[in-house]
Amino acid sequence: MSSLQRFSVAMEQRLFEQLEGLVRKAGYANRSEFIRDLLRDRLVEDEWADDDEVIGTITLVYEHDTRLLSERLTHLQHLRHDLVLATTHIHLDETMCAEMIMGRGSAKEIRELVDLLRQQKGVLHAGLCIGSTGKGLT
Ligand code: NI
């Protein structure tokens, strides 16, 4: 077990009350747990910025009626098969599709892939959820 360091933080009353509200709302047992998780999230964001190995989930929403779009999206994923680990396709309704693409690679390459997929005509949404491979978080 690693040793715990204690430090005090000064902040305005209003901000402190907002902190307390967030801690309660999120169901944390105490402020320390909440702040540790906030910090870990921030570390993941920093790592994501230029790290050479991250994981990411790309969420695409698109109209499958758009001519050749499904084929184009599959083709682009094949071109970057070195990044794409798995893809799940969901039929949202009669015309809309969602695809969750799980990837692993450099942050730059994954961002480029998201941009490429987003640019395809008929893609209505392309979201990216960042993830860490866990190195540097313990
Ligand atoms: Ni579909």
Side-chain angles (χ1 to χ4, degrees):
M1 171 115 186
S2 54
S3 66
L4 294 175
Q5 298 294 318
R6 293 185 180 280
F7 66 100
S8 59
V9 178
M11 66 179 73
E12 292 80 12
Q13 180 67 25
R14 169 113 179 92
L15 195 58
F16 178 74
E17 286 164 8
Q18 288 174 316
L19 170 65
E20 292 289 89
L22 287 174
V23 171
R24 247 195 330 274
K25 197 168 143 192
Y28 281 87
N30 57 58
R31 254 173 259 139
S32 294
E33 275 297 326
F34 181 78
I35 289 169
R36 279 195 287 269
D37 277 355
L38 272 186
L39 185 56
R40 287 188 189 106
D41 285 348
R42 180 56 192 263
L43 287 168
V44 169
E45 277 176 29
D46 268 15
E47 180 190 9
W48 180 252
D50 54 18
D51 201 276
D52 58 3
E53 196 194 21
V54 296
I55 55 171
T57 305
I58 302 165
T59 303
L60 298 179
V61 176
Y62 64 92
E63 301 170 299
H64 81 152
D65 284 349
T66 305
R67 195 175 128 72
L68 296 177
L69 179 57
S70 299
E71 288 82 354
R72 222 164 36 240
L73 294 175
T74 301
H75 175 68
L76 292 171
Q77 291 178 60
H78 273 273
L79 286 179
R80 294 317 313 260
H81 65 87
D82 56 320
L83 295 177
V84 176
L85 299 172
T87 303
T88 300
H89 183 105
I90 298 160
H91 309 304
L92 293 171
D93 59 26
E94 288 79 1
T95 59
M96 299 293 281
C97 298
E99 250 176 61
M100 280 75 173
I101 302 162
M102 284 143 273
R104 182 174 191 157
S106 81
K108 182 174 179 288
E109 288 176 309
I110 288 181
R111 256 194 250 104
E112 285 168 358
L113 178 61
V114 176
D115 290 341
L116 192 61
L117 295 167
R118 182 184 291 124
Q119 289 159 11
Q120 304 308 308
K121 186 177 177 325
V123 172
L124 304 174
H125 170 72
L128 177 60
C129 183
I130 63 169
S132 165
T133 56
K135 294 167 193 161
L137 288 184
T138 55

